[in-house]
């Protein structure tokens, strides 16, 4: 006997995008140890946790040091105090009613959008936007829902919904029957948004075709446009066809602390092999209680403080800070004559490379000549070729410096 591997992993033809970006950065640093590199690639925040969050965090840690208030294993689904705060602030505000049993606290939207696949059959037909957050594609490859990667960079068996300047970054409906559709808005990587009417088209499609939408809403805190929904459940009927993922990572600086949540409405149904309706909420509950031990008590108390009056004010100031960076990036690149998208209701800026330069060539140019790190658009799928993503999560000083360096380049 020999140990058998999951051969689906062998279908992954390239390193995880951000691993490759880190590898090139490391090589450049080794050759240029004195270089002052400004990172605007990976979407990691630079502002620390706000005082209201830190105060709650410290208090919860102190509780863990006292036998009277010590907390052991918590509910795998998360504590009700946090679920209630989420419902009150993220959903009731927009006229959406949820029960705490529909909110599952987790360690990240990235892991949830991948792990949610556990409860769905391997033969489901998957649709993703193109370009796309790579986790949606790679994890479906790992699970065995695709064939091999084709010469055009697309995987056999996946349906790709192109989003580029030709269609104003609004994905068309699938041209072939699909079961599950991944949507991320405000979008990573393009930074673009969908209006309520544009999102309603997908909700209506899902209802008419017994399809399911996996809606990644990790960036809703950055929305500045009136007609852009903060939850897919603002669309009538969405509770019947959508699972929503949200995160404290970018909103409140929890990238290193890890806290997020997934909403699985009770109305949501799937089907067994005999065509019988099956509630999806209990399936996700079983998956989480079996495979996940829950987010730590201090982290959940810290997350609850995000919704305190002080927390809201302090975090609002940080979001404004990052969006000022986005405004500076948009203006600087536009002034250079480049085509720029995003950065209005998103911390991501999607820029067309100059002179039809390919994505990795533009990445290398910025790294070598300006010591600025972006993320090549081609790493997000075939339709990302010819683009580069920059993030607004660095400091204001570094953002201005990076734009000054780029403005001096000759394209």
């Amino acid at each position: 006997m020999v140990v058998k591997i999951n051969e689906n992993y062998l279908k992954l033809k390239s390193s995880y995008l951000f691993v490759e970006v880190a590898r090139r950065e490391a090589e450049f640093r080794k050759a240029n140890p004195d270089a002052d590199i400004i990172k605007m690639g990976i979407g990691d925040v630079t502002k620390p946790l706000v005082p209201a969050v830190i105060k709650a965090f410290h208090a919860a840690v102190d509780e863990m040091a006292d036998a009277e208030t010590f907390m052991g294993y918590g509910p795998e689904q998360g504590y009700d105090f946090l679920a209630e705060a989420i419902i009150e602030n993220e959903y009731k505000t927009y006229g959406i009613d949820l029960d705490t049993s529909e909110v599952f606290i987790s360690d990240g939207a990235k892991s949830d959008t991948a792990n949610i696949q556990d409860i769905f059959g391997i033969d489901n037909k998957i649709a993703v936007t193109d370009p796309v957050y790579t986790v949606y594609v790679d994890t479906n490859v790992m699970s065995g829902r695709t064939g091999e990667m084709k010469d055009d960079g697309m995987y056999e068996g996946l349906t790709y919904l192109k989003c580029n300047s030709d269609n104003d970054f609004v994905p068309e409906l699938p041209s072939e029957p699909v079961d599950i559709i991944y949507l991320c808005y405000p979008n990573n990587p393009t930074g673009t948004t969908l209006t309520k009417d544009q999102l309603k088209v997908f909700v209506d499609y899902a209802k008419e075709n017994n399809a399911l939408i996996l809606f990644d809403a990790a960036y809703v805190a950055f929305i500045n446009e009136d007609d852009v929904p903060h939850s897919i459940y603002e669309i009538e009927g969405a509770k019947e066809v959508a699972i929503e993922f949200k995160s404290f990572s970018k909103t409140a600086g929890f990238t290193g602390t890890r806290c997020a949540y997934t909403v699985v409405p009770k109305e949501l149904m799937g089907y067994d092999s005999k065509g019988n309706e099956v509630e999806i909420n209990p399936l996700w509950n079983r998956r989480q209680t079996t495979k996940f031990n829950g987010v730590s008590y201090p982290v959940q108390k810290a997350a609850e403080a995000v919704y305190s009056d002080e927390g809201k004010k302090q975090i609002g100031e940080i979001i404004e800070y990052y969006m000022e960076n986005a405004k500076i990036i948009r203006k600087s690149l536009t002034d250079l004559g480049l085509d720029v998208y995003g950065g209005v209701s998103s911390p991501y800026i999607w820029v067309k490379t100059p002179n039809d330069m390919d994505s990795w060539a533009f990445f290398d140019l910025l790294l070598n000549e300006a010591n600025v790190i972006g993320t090549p658009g081609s790493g997000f799928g075939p339709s990302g070729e010819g683009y580069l993503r920059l993030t607004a999560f660095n400091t204001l000083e570094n953002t201005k410096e990076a734009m000054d360096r780029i403005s001096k380049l000759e394209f």
Side-chain angles (χ1 to χ4, degrees):
M1 298 294 291
V2 294
V3 175
K4 310 293 194 307
I5 64 165
N6 179 353
E7 294 189 26
N8 292 307
Y9 278 69
L10 303 181
K11 298 175 186 174
L12 298 168
K13 299 302 182 185
S14 59
S15 299
Y16 180 56
L17 172 61
F18 298 108
V19 174
E20 175 62 16
V21 169
R23 186 190 68 80
R24 295 196 184 202
E25 177 193 348
E27 285 188 355
F28 181 81
R29 283 188 184 278
K30 185 176 181 180
N32 304 273
D34 297 326
D36 178 20
I37 297 175
I38 298 176
K39 293 186 178 184
M40 304 181 78
I42 191 168
D44 197 2
V45 297
T46 51
K47 286 288 188 182
L49 297 173
V50 299
V53 169
I54 287 294
K55 181 180 178 181
F57 213 161
H58 278 300
V61 170
D62 287 341
E63 287 184 58
M64 301 296 280
D66 188 327
E68 295 296 321
T69 53
F70 171 77
M71 304 292 285
Y73 286 125
E76 294 93 342
Q77 306 93 331
Y79 289 98
D80 279 349
F81 66 74
L82 180 53
E84 288 167 359
I86 288 168
I87 291 169
E88 188 68 31
N89 292 276
E90 301 285 352
Y91 292 98
K92 283 190 178 179
T93 301
Y94 302 102
I96 301 163
D97 291 323
L98 290 173
D99 186 78
T100 55
S101 63
E102 297 173 300
V103 179
F104 296 82
I105 313 301
S106 75
D107 62 354
K110 172 184 174 180
S111 51
D112 279 0
T113 57
N115 293 332
I116 199 75
Q117 298 170 24
D118 283 5
I119 64 174
F120 297 113
I122 200 70
D123 54 350
N124 280 298
K125 180 74 171 177
I126 309 295
V128 297
T129 57
D130 177 32
V132 63
Y133 179 45
T134 54
V135 171
Y136 310 154
V137 172
D138 288 359
T139 53
N140 272 290
V141 174
M142 294 171 180
S143 296
R145 291 190 180 89
T146 76
E148 299 288 341
M149 180 185 281
K150 300 179 291 184
D151 291 341
D152 61 3
M154 298 183 182
Y155 282 95
E156 296 173 351
L158 276 187
T159 296
Y160 290 81
L161 312 176
K162 287 192 175 182
C163 298
N164 53 34
S165 57
D166 294 338
N167 59 11
D168 293 325
F169 296 93
V170 178
E172 297 179 357
L173 290 173
S175 59
E176 57 188 354
V178 300
D179 302 301
I180 297 174
I181 304 170
Y182 280 88
L183 294 176
C184 173
Y185 287 95
N187 185 255
N188 178 15
T190 67
T192 56
T193 56
L194 293 184
T195 65
K196 291 179 181 178
D197 286 344
Q198 290 167 337
L199 186 54
K200 184 178 185 298
V201 171
F202 279 89
V203 172
D204 290 345
Y205 171 91
K207 292 180 70 174
E208 292 167 8
N209 294 274
N210 289 328
L212 173 71
I213 297 171
L214 300 179
F215 192 73
D216 188 343
Y219 303 97
V220 295
F222 298 91
I223 292 173
N224 287 307
E225 298 162 283
D226 292 337
D227 197 30
V228 175
H230 288 71
S231 167
I232 194 171
Y233 303 127
E234 290 185 50
I235 312 302
E236 185 179 355
K239 280 188 183 180
E240 302 168 23
V241 295
I243 294 173
E244 183 163 88
F245 308 88
K246 286 186 175 180
S247 171
F248 293 98
S249 288
K250 309 304 194 298
T251 302
F254 276 56
T255 51
T257 311
R258 312 309 307 146
C259 196
Y261 54 97
T262 291
V263 176
V264 185
K266 295 282 185 66
E267 297 96 316
L268 196 61
M269 298 290 173
Y271 299 87
D272 65 17
S273 59
K274 297 179 181 179
N276 299 311
E277 280 192 342
V278 178
E279 289 185 39
I280 290 178
N281 179 286
L283 301 182
W284 183 240
N285 185 65
R286 181 56 187 269
R287 190 272 171 203
Q288 291 298 81
T289 55
T290 301
K291 290 190 173 185
F292 183 57
N293 252 6
V295 176
S296 74
Y297 173 75
V299 167
Q300 291 192 59
K301 290 300 289 186
E304 181 190 27
V306 167
Y307 299 116
S308 66
D309 290 341
E310 298 90 343
K312 288 178 183 178
K313 180 178 182 296
Q314 294 162 2
I315 288 169
E317 291 170 353
I318 288 180
I319 289 173
E320 288 180 9
Y321 178 94
Y322 289 137
M323 292 312 295
E324 178 63 23
N325 287 350
K327 185 177 179 180
I328 290 169
I329 297 169
R330 275 185 61 89
K331 184 178 187 308
S332 298
L333 298 179
T334 301
D335 288 348
L336 291 175
L338 299 175
D339 294 328
V340 184
Y341 308 92
V344 176
S345 289
S346 166
Y348 294 122
I349 295 85
W350 190 243
V351 55
K352 185 78 175 71
T353 62
N355 305 318
D356 295 321
M357 187 181 298
D358 74 54
S359 295
W360 279 106
F362 192 44
F363 170 90
D364 288 335
L365 174 67
L366 294 187
L367 175 59
N368 290 301
E369 301 300 327
N371 299 165
V372 173
I373 293 178
T375 307
S378 59
F380 297 101
S383 291
E385 180 53 80
Y387 292 89
L388 184 109
R389 191 192 76 175
L390 295 173
T391 83
F393 288 124
N394 213 305
T395 64
L396 176 62
E397 295 75 19
N398 280 347
T399 298
K400 289 179 177 179
E401 173 64 21
M403 292 305 103
D404 182 60
R405 294 179 190 178
I406 292 174
S407 70
K408 296 174 181 177
L409 298 178
E410 293 186 7
F411 300 130

